[in-house]
Amino acid sequence: MTSNLGLGLGQNKTDNFKAIEWLRAREIGLAVPMSTAASTGVSRPRTKLLSYDPGRHRARTTDSILRKLYQKLSNTSVKDTSYQRGFGSIFNLEFSPDGRVLVAACERRAMILFDPLTARPICNVKNAHTDCVNCVTFFDDRTFASGSDDNTIALWDIRNTKSKVRSFEGHTNWVKSIEFHRPTNQMVSSGFDGNVLLWDINKYVTDDNVPTYDELLNFRTLMRMRLTADGTKMLLSSASGLYVVIHDLSLEHLMNDMEGIEDFIRPVPFFQEKLEYGHIFYRKRNRVEVVNDIPDYHTSEYLCISSLIVHPQGWNMISRMSTDNDNLEYTCVHDIQDNYSTIAKCEEGKEFFECHGYHTPFKVIHSRLLYYIDEPSDGKGYIKELSVSPDGRLICSSFGYGIRLLAFNTGLSELCDIKHSNSEVSPRRAKLHEVTTMTNHRQTVLTSAFSPNQCLLVSGCLNGRVVFYNPRL
């Protein structure tokens, strides 16, 4: 007897097996097609049935578990590294790639290394620099670099932190970003001097054994610089409300390709009509895109984009911005994937770009802003760093004396599972979904970090307190 569902039950063993696959796929929530031949009486070609994929089943099960664990996060340990202990505010937190070490960058020229599992300090590195330590970046499981307000970068080995491996001097103002470009094994840094510098950490070239560097570009209002994990894009944020995305990144040619381009990377004065979206300039390598679509706000001030991170898959950039007087703050998510489908000609700068091998500049119609949310404007004058979970489904932001976990929807879905509107008339600018808020600090939270391989979150604040969050089941 044949089933009325058109699945062919009872016809032969192959059809029976396909029907079981279809039922199993439907049971675990996969999209499955159904034949309409039985209901309409019209003979149609059989739709290919969706086979059961054990790997995908495991992934969905893992996603479900992670969602439940993230929703159960609660503080489990508090470490006080306050002024009385000589460390000051926590400016940055960074896990090693294997998740075995957590480094805290501190205001009073020091760093603290923690064991994430026990939440206990492993060692303290006092006088790591001669001024505030701003940022920490791991190159591998044991080597990391620190940037400071003393304008230098230091290279460290966690097996021996009594002395730095090397020191890098080249910036003329505070060092705020350090990235490791894995395709070339080179270090890229940026500071408040507006310079982006390239360092070969494996070479000493000068006679006095001092590391040399190449100046890749200068951007006067530069705040932050990031690289995607695959090294194909460089992201820059500014104090003038602009992002610069450099696609198809080639560090070898970037210095020449960016010559004179800053004249075309400029904010639109508030008294002029604001450009709706940015401009993208086409060439084979180091293609520059200026992104300036931001949340609507009613003030004449520029938005300073002080914090910038990249989605683990390189799909978008996540930033925190504020007005000059810190009265308004936002967390924003912008798409940074290549999009060639919606472009219109724009004649600005045509002669310059044709002379330098560019084609005519284009105006992007496709909106880059996907999500945003209003943030509290406390801790004025301090940069509040964002963090994102290893799977990219959760964002952690400073929220007064605590932290707030944000997601793209109520189901805590990954970005790839959410359909976005590509409408040119009304591009999607949705509000981020607030998952939970936890207040466990005594002063404004400045930074946070997710463990790369555990369901563990850490935050640090203005008075030096470090809080560890684990699921409480």
Side-chain angles (χ1 to χ4, degrees), residues 402-416:
I403 58 173
R404 179 164 64 168
L405 296 182
L406 305 168
F408 303 115
N409 62 10
T410 55
L412 277 66
S413 300
E414 291 189 72
L415 200 62
C416 59

Side-chain angles (χ1 to χ4, degrees), residues 353-373:
F353 288 100
E354 286 182 346
C355 290
H356 287 76
Y358 284 80
H359 299 294
T360 305
F362 290 83
K363 180 178 179 181
V364 176
I365 301 175
H366 175 68
S367 172
R368 288 299 196 183
L369 180 60
L370 297 177
Y371 297 92
Y372 72 97
I373 195 170

Side-chain angles (χ1 to χ4, degrees), residues 408-438:
F408 303 115
N409 62 10
T410 55
L412 277 66
S413 300
E414 291 189 72
L415 200 62
C416 59
D417 294 329
I418 303 173
K419 292 183 179 180
H420 298 288
S421 169
N422 290 324
S423 169
E424 298 178 8
V425 179
S426 56
R428 179 170 183 172
R429 297 183 177 194
K431 283 289 187 74
L432 286 165
H433 170 67
E434 183 176 324
V435 178
T436 186
T437 301
M438 292 174 279

Side-chain angles (χ1 to χ4, degrees), residues 68-99:
K68 292 176 181 178
L69 289 176
Y70 283 138
Q71 291 170 338
K72 296 289 185 179
L73 281 176
S74 179
N75 69 300
T76 55
S77 183
V78 177
K79 299 299 175 184
D80 192 353
T81 61
S82 59
Y83 282 86
Q84 291 77 8
R85 302 195 178 191
F87 297 102
S89 303
I90 306 297
F91 284 163
N92 188 224
L93 292 164
E94 186 77 13
F95 282 92
S96 60
D98 59 8

Side-chain angles (χ1 to χ4, degrees), residues 210-238:
V210 175
T212 61
Y213 60 87
D214 294 319
E215 183 177 326
L216 297 179
L217 61 92
N218 181 272
F219 187 16
R220 284 189 296 269
T221 58
L222 179 64
M223 292 295 294
R224 283 288 193 270
M225 177 273 305
R226 296 287 182 229
L227 300 177
T228 54
D230 59 4
T232 60
K233 291 182 176 66
M234 177 183 287
L235 315 175
L236 308 172
S237 70
S238 74

Side-chain angles (χ1 to χ4, degrees), residues 18 21-22 25 30-33 47-53 56:
K18 288 183 177 179
E21 286 185 325
W22 184 91
L30 299 180
V32 290
T47 304
K48 184 178 180 181
L49 296 175
L50 181 61
S51 61
Y52 170 59
D53 184 351
R56 188 170 181 181

